[in-house]
Amino acid sequence: ATTEIYTTEESSAASDVYKRQANALECDLIRAKHRIESCTGQIPQFVRATYLDRDPVVNYVYQQCQLRHVGANVYSKDFAEPHPSPSEVRETLRCGPYSVANAIEKGARQLIVLFHDLNPITAEHLDDYIATIAQATHDANREPVFVKTREAALRVAMEGG
């Protein structure tokens, strides 16, 4: 077994890297919050980490910016490479590690499904995907209830999905 030993200089350099990353992320989030507020009149309260990846630095910055991370417990994989067909997205929603069934089996009471609004195929097939989610929920002996208002979505997000 080997033991890695870091000098104070190396630790300080790593700390400086983390500080620069945190400062850059914080600046990006502050700009984004102001832009969203200017467009919507609402101050954002939530954020989704890119690729759903977080670490202590990211979590700290979210806290400093007063943003709560909202993850997903169902991932449609609609933006995977190569881009999946609509039938492949529906299959992903139905079964497998990212599916509605898997999230329910793991105890999820609310589902937060990750879709990418920049994907034109997702926009075109969203009604089909929602029907697939509803059917997969029925198949798990649950009754799907879709939130339709901002207030309802906020309640789900605050409860942690």
Side-chain angles (χ1 to χ4, degrees):
T2 60
T3 303
E4 295 185 33
I5 300 172
Y6 297 96
T7 66
T8 305
E9 195 172 289
E10 290 170 325
S11 297
S12 177
S15 176
D16 287 345
V17 168
Y18 288 130
K19 286 178 187 174
R20 283 194 303 276
Q21 289 173 340
N23 287 338
L25 177 59
E26 186 171 14
C27 287
D28 286 347
L29 289 172
I30 289 169
R31 276 194 304 270
K33 283 179 72 171
H34 287 300
R35 179 73 176 130
I36 291 168
E37 184 180 9
S38 73
C39 292
T40 67
Q42 300 286 323
I43 298 172
Q45 299 176 43
F46 303 98
V47 64
R48 177 187 60 85
T50 306
Y51 302 110
L52 298 173
D53 288 338
R54 294 186 302 160
D55 61 30
V57 173
V58 171
N59 291 336
Y60 173 78
V61 172
Y62 289 168
Q63 183 180 21
Q64 292 302 111
C65 291
Q66 299 178 351
L67 291 167
R68 181 177 169 142
H69 181 264
V70 176
N73 51 16
V74 177
Y75 178 31
S76 69
K77 302 207 53 100
D78 65 331
F79 220 63
E81 290 290 338
H83 291 300
S85 69
S87 63
E88 290 171 317
V89 171
R90 286 191 298 271
E91 186 65 17
T92 299
L93 293 169
R94 273 194 289 272
C95 61
Y98 305 105
S99 68
V100 169
N102 187 58
I104 290 172
E105 186 177 300
K106 288 183 175 180
R109 293 180 43 80
Q110 289 104 7
L111 301 178
I112 298 177
V113 183
L114 177 59
F115 287 108
H116 293 83
D117 57 352
L118 296 176
N119 183 343
I121 295 172
T122 295
E124 184 179 332
H125 294 273
L126 194 57
D127 288 342
D128 294 336
Y129 298 160
I130 291 172
T132 299
I133 293 165
Q135 185 59 53
T137 306
H138 280 297
D139 292 347
N141 296 316
R142 300 281 179 85
E143 186 62 33
V145 177
F146 293 94
V147 295
K148 296 181 173 104
T149 65
R150 182 177 191 278
E151 291 75 24
L154 288 172
R155 275 195 305 279
V156 170
M158 292 304 286
E159 292 171 9

